[in-house]
Amino acid sequence: MAAQAYCMALDMLTTRTYDSQSCAAEEDDEEVNDYRVKCLNNLAAAQLKLGQFDEALHTSQDVLFLDPQNVKALFRKGKLLSDRGEYEEAMETLKKALKLEPSTKAIHAELSKLVKRQAGESETESWQAKPAENIAPFLTPPPPKKPFGISWKFLLGALVVALGSLVTSVVLTARN
């Protein structure tokens, strides 16, 4: 349910409307991209929990398209590539994450595992990628639509509140 909610939020962020006072303002676009990055990162986390590793890798790459310095996405991508047996790219990706946050223990641990795998101390499972669906439309915003009086910020705020309530109810239900 959480993954579906994040997809809905991403869809909303992609099809957002512009109010009459700020048509395509650069500031607003940055804010929307920040929300996209947050939703995509949360979607990748949900996909990992669901065992959707191909989709999580694709979603992490989408985050990095929008924010190449995103440590969470770099870490997830590096870990997934390592699990997949793509050691060279995984090492490169994890080193980028480490440069950005050198004190993060999880990155150090994953790099250590990767070095062991490269040395042949552990075998990797075969893993074949399949293309993720319905993520690419979230990367490029549509052309501006004619305003109809409701601020996109209001809609976004309402969506965030609804999404938070949904995730909270899912977590509470799962605990019972």
Side-chain angles (χ1 to χ4, degrees), residues 44-105:
Q47 290 167 331
L48 283 173
K49 293 254 185 207
L50 294 170
Q52 299 172 345
F53 304 115
D54 300 330
E55 291 84 355
L57 177 61
H58 185 79
T59 303
S60 295
Q61 289 169 328
D62 287 346
V63 171
L64 294 171
F65 177 79
L66 295 171
D67 180 8
Q69 306 296 310
N70 191 285
V71 176
K72 286 180 184 179
L74 285 167
F75 175 76
R76 283 191 188 110
K77 179 182 176 185
K79 182 173 178 19
L80 288 165
L81 288 171
S82 177
D83 292 346
R84 200 173 161 176
E86 295 182 28
Y87 301 134
E88 199 170 306
E89 190 178 352
M91 181 68 75
E92 208 174 287
T93 304
L94 289 169
K95 282 182 180 180
K96 283 181 191 175
L98 189 63
K99 280 183 185 178
L100 294 169
E101 285 192 16
S103 63
T104 304
K105 292 179 183 179

Side-chain angles (χ1 to χ4, degrees), residues 2 6 13 17 25 27-28 55 66-67 75 77-78 83 103 107 113 116-117 131 139 143 149 169-170:
Y6 290 122
L13 289 168
T17 59
E27 220 172 80
D28 292 341
E55 291 84 355
L66 295 171
D67 180 8
F75 175 76
K77 179 182 176 185
D83 292 346
S103 63
I107 299 171
K113 286 180 195 174
K116 287 178 184 176
R117 285 180 180 169
L139 295 178
S169 67
V170 168

Side-chain angles (χ1 to χ4, degrees), residues 111-130:
L111 276 168
S112 178
K113 286 180 195 174
L114 179 57
V115 169
K116 287 178 184 176
R117 285 180 180 169
Q118 281 182 314
E121 292 180 18
S122 66
E123 295 183 16
T124 59
E125 299 176 13
S126 64
W127 188 79
Q128 292 187 354
K130 59 183 177 185

Side-chain angles (χ1 to χ4, degrees), residues 9 23-24 26 30 52 59 65 82 90 110 125 154 173:
C23 260
E26 194 173 309
E30 283 182 36
Q52 299 172 345
T59 303
F65 177 79
S82 177
E110 195 57 41
E125 299 176 13
F154 172 77
T173 304

